[in-house]
């Protein structure tokens, strides 16, 4: 059925996987005849795509829901949906807490939004959180950018990190076939996308669940093989991938990134802690020495590569000395960017039940010290760009200055420069960097003069 005058609104919390899921669900709703509404209060269908990684995200969902649930008492035809990881984890409990909800659906059900909604419009209240085999995705996402796009390559995660709720909510690893991934990328290339980020919760595990090995006995579907398989897709100029796990990060992968011109010299490899005992308690399966070796190998092949990561401060039982090992790692490596969080206990994870939780003060204090060091180091790393000419792929207008456009360098630095978005969107432009900050750059467009023969 089509909904000609109806509007939808989606609010997304959390990771890139969630953003990708939201874009797919927006695609489904638009196919059903819904139009996007910026304001939730003007929408007939409101969908919250939720994340359980951080406590406050969960609390926010509940406060937004309360507001819309009250509105539903005046407008009974309002449809309220909670999707994503909170939905998966809470399931029926969400309905008990907010009986006004129409649909609670886990992340694996994003592709089924249409038939789930049909059931809702027929008067049913639905909880869809049972594990399913991933349905190959045919709907076209409504992408937030029309220059760079996400492509999922593997769903789920088989790791069992003791702080993380992802395996419970996103299920076991399921890789898409190289052919399906390449076909999606070719379609994006035809539509004018210039950059594709290959996504997986644990992308280095890609292909382990696909059948087949080579004559040498090596698995023939690894992330490295996938990069070789897709790197020449027409129209796509840049390829990135995330998120990596140090346990599976190979020299062969690093070599492929150095060899393939379209693959950006940008690596996102979470380390979580710089202390071996803490890493063991987290069940991460590597040591800080191994992590440092990976970074050394990357820098041997690509001295200028930019490296970002995730880290947790205040994990249960972390001593001051152990936390200082994290600071030391950050000091020594010099990350271009680091996503940090104070540990927060997630329901259904082993670490949440441990007795040795740290106080909020200690966690807050460590997080602040870590964040301070991160910005000092990021500012130092930025200095290398001063006066350099960087290739910037233009994505958008600078929201704070209409005379400027913004885009990213191959190393994923946000860069601003003067120019008209109408002329430059989707173009890769040489920009001379005139101003460096910890997390972004400013520059001016370089007109490359034609070289004469003298």
């Amino acid at each position: 059925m089509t909904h000609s005058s109806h509007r939808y609104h989606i609010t997304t919390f959390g990771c890139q996987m969630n953003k990708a899921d939201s874009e797919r669900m927006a695609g489904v709703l638009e196919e059903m005849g819904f139009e996007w509404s910026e304001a939730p209060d003007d929408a007939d269908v409101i969908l919250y795509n939720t994340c359980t990684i951080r406590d406050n995200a969960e609390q926010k969902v509940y406060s937004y829901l309360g507001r819309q649930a009250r509105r539903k008492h005046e407008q009974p035809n309002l449809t309220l949906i909670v999707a994503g990881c909170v939905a998966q984890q809470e399931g029926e409990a969400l309905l008990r807490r907010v009986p006004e909800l129409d649909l609670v659906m886990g992340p694996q059900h994003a592709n089924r939004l249409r038939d789930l909604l049909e059931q809702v419009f027929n008067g049913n209240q639905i909880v869809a959180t049972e594990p399913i085999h991933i349905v190959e995705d045919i709907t076209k996402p409504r992408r937030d950018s029309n220059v760079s796009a996400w492509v999922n390559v593997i769903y789920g995660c088989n790791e069992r990190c003791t702080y993380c709720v992802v395996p419970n909510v996103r299920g076991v690893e399921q890789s898409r076939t190289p052919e399906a991934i390449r076909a999606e990328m070719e379609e994006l290339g035809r539509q004018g996308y210039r950059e594709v980020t290959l996504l997986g919760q644990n992308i280095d595990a890609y292909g382990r669940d696909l059948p087949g090995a080579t004559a040498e006995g090596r698995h023939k579907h690894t992330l490295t093989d996938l990069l070789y398989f897709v790197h020449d897709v027409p129209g796509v100029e840049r390829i990135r991938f995330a998120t990596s796990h140090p346990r599976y990060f190979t020299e062969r992968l690093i070599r492929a990134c150095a060899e393939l011109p379209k693959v950006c010299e940008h690596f996102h490899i979470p380390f979580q802690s710089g202390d071996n005992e803490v890493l063991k308690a987290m069940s991460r399966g590597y040591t800080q020495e191994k992590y440092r070796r990976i970074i050394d190998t990357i820098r041997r092949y690509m001295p200028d590569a930019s490296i970002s990561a995730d880290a947790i401060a205040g994990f249960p039982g972390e001593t001051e000395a152990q936390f200082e090992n994290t600071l030391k790692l950050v000091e020594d490596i010099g990350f271009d960017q680091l996503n940090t969080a104070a540990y927060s206990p997630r329901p259904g994870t082993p670490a949440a039940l441990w007795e040795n939780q740290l106080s909020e003060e200690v966690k807050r204090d460590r997080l602040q010290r870590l964040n301070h060091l991160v910005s000092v180091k990021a500012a130092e790393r930025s200095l290398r760009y001063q006066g350099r000419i960087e290739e910037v792929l233009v994505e958008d207008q600078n929201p704070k200055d209409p005379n400027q456009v913004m885009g990213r360098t191959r190393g994923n630095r946000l860069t601003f420069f003067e120019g008209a978005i109408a002329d430059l969107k989707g173009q890769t432009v040489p920009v001379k960097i005139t101003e460096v900050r910890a997390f972004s750059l400013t520059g001016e467009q370089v007109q490359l003069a034609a070289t004469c023969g003298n």
Side-chain angles (χ1 to χ4, degrees):
M1 63 176 144
T2 57
H3 294 257
S4 46
S5 61
H6 293 296
R7 300 163 72 82
Y8 74 94
H9 176 86
I10 298 181
T11 299
T12 307
F13 301 86
C15 68
Q16 292 173 323
M17 296 297 254
N18 268 9
K19 293 194 181 89
D21 290 345
S22 288
E23 291 176 349
R24 292 218 302 279
M25 293 190 284
V28 173
L29 287 163
E30 291 187 4
E31 269 175 21
M32 291 177 76
F34 284 90
E35 277 173 42
W36 166 256
S37 157
E38 198 57 56
D41 288 353
D42 300 338
D44 317 78
V45 170
I46 296 180
L47 188 152
Y48 295 108
N49 193 5
T50 59
C51 169
T52 47
I53 301 289
R54 304 275 160 82
D55 234 357
N56 52 5
E58 222 164 307
Q59 292 317 315
K60 258 190 225 156
V61 174
Y62 278 117
S63 67
Y64 289 173
L65 268 177
R67 208 163 54 229
Q68 295 304 335
R70 286 191 292 280
R71 202 182 127 206
K72 190 162 175 164
H73 293 274
E74 285 107 64
Q75 292 165 281
N77 60 353
L78 177 63
T79 303
L80 287 182
I81 306 169
V82 175
C85 297
V86 174
Q88 182 67 35
Q89 193 172 280
E90 303 285 319
E92 305 271 344
L94 257 173
L95 288 189
R96 286 199 291 277
R97 222 174 132 170
V98 188
E100 293 83 356
L101 276 172
D102 297 286
L103 170 59
V104 173
M105 54 188 279
Q108 297 186 337
H109 295 264
N111 298 337
R112 292 184 54 217
L113 179 59
R114 187 182 194 119
D115 59 291
L116 293 172
L117 267 179
E118 302 280 340
Q119 296 174 53
V120 166
F121 296 141
N122 290 332
N124 300 305
Q125 196 180 29
I126 293 172
V127 176
T129 53
E130 67 284 358
I132 51 170
H133 197 70
I134 294 297
V135 186
E136 188 55 62
D137 179 11
I138 60 275
T139 55
K140 286 291 147 268
R142 186 191 74 93
R143 313 258 175 187
D144 277 347
S145 149
N146 36 26
V147 176
S148 72
W150 321 113
V151 171
N152 277 317
V153 303
I154 178 171
Y155 300 93
C157 185
N158 293 357
E159 296 300 307
R160 281 282 176 264
C161 304
T162 52
Y163 51 82
C164 180
V165 75
V166 163
N168 310 349
V169 295
R170 285 192 176 265
V172 295
E173 287 166 2
Q174 294 184 42
S175 301
R176 297 174 65 194
T177 65
E179 294 71 24
I181 294 162
R182 186 174 169 112
E184 185 176 353
M185 287 176 67
E186 285 173 348
E187 180 53 35
L188 290 167
R190 281 193 289 275
Q191 290 172 18
Y193 287 91
R194 293 289 159 258
E195 176 178 278
V196 166
T197 301
L198 303 174
L199 279 188
Q201 218 75 51
N202 176 12
I203 197 165
D204 305 83
Y206 173 75
R208 286 195 296 195
D209 56 327
L210 295 174
T214 59
E216 311 87 75
R218 190 177 58 69
H219 211 296
K220 71 164 186 272
H221 297 300
T222 63
L223 176 61
T224 309
D225 299 300
L226 181 68
L227 290 176
Y228 283 111
F229 186 69
V230 301
H231 97 276
D232 60 347
V233 166
V236 174
E237 293 169 10
R238 286 181 176 183
I239 297 172
R240 304 181 188 278
F241 57 90
T243 293
S244 299
H245 192 300
R247 195 154 149 194
Y248 309 103
F249 208 87
T250 63
E251 182 158 354
R252 188 169 166 258
L253 175 63
I254 295 168
R255 202 166 40 239
C257 296
E259 275 175 21
L260 295 171
K262 290 183 184 182
V263 177
C264 292
E265 305 74 14
H266 164 231
F267 299 89
H268 183 75
I269 317 175
F271 62 88
Q272 306 303 7
S273 166
D275 182 82
N276 288 347
E277 287 303 301
V278 175
L279 286 169
K280 203 164 155 185
M282 291 175 165
S283 295
R284 290 290 286 169
Y286 56 86
T287 58
Q288 55 96 11
E289 291 84 354
K290 168 156 190 200
Y291 187 85
R292 288 168 187 265
R293 281 198 300 276
I294 291 169
I295 306 303
D296 288 344
T297 310
I298 290 174
R299 289 186 169 153
R300 199 170 73 236
Y301 280 92
M302 291 159 276
D304 196 49
S306 63
I307 292 162
S308 58
D310 302 341
I312 296 171
F315 188 73
E318 180 185 70
T319 63
E320 174 58 31
Q322 288 172 328
F323 173 66
E324 283 168 18
N325 285 338
T326 294
L327 293 179
K328 182 158 175 34
L329 185 80
V330 173
E331 174 68 50
D332 293 350
I333 287 180
F335 292 91
D336 292 80
Q337 193 140 22
L338 189 61
N339 305 325
T340 59
Y343 170 76
S344 74
R346 313 312 307 141
T349 61
L353 305 172
W354 297 346
E355 303 283 280
N356 53 357
Q357 306 290 329
L358 304 184
S359 72
E360 290 306 314
E361 278 122 23
V362 170
K363 292 195 286 193
R364 238 191 340 264
D365 168 65
R366 288 182 188 173
L367 182 61
Q368 277 172 343
R369 286 155 62 200
L370 179 58
N371 285 344
H372 175 70
L373 179 61
V374 166
S375 35
V376 169
K377 298 306 287 186
E380 281 173 22
R381 291 285 290 155
S382 264
L383 293 175
R384 71 191 196 280
Y385 292 119
Q386 182 73 46
R388 262 193 0 198
I389 293 177
E390 285 285 315
E391 300 280 305
V392 176
L393 172 61
V394 179
E395 289 174 41
D396 237 318
Q397 199 171 41
N398 178 356
K400 295 185 182 145
D401 179 351
N403 299 320
Q404 284 189 337
V405 296
M406 59 186 198
R408 288 176 186 278
T409 65
R410 287 178 62 95
N412 212 37
R413 277 294 156 122
L414 193 57
T415 307
F416 302 97
F417 65 96
E418 259 180 45
I421 192 63
D423 308 333
L424 294 172
K425 191 162 191 163
Q427 306 286 324
T428 301
V429 180
V431 173
K432 183 166 186 171
I433 305 304
T434 52
E435 217 181 300
V436 299
R437 289 173 297 280
F439 302 109
S440 64
L441 309 168
T442 299
E444 48 204 31
Q445 189 174 347
V446 181
Q447 303 302 344
L448 290 182
T451 46
C452 357
N454 53 6

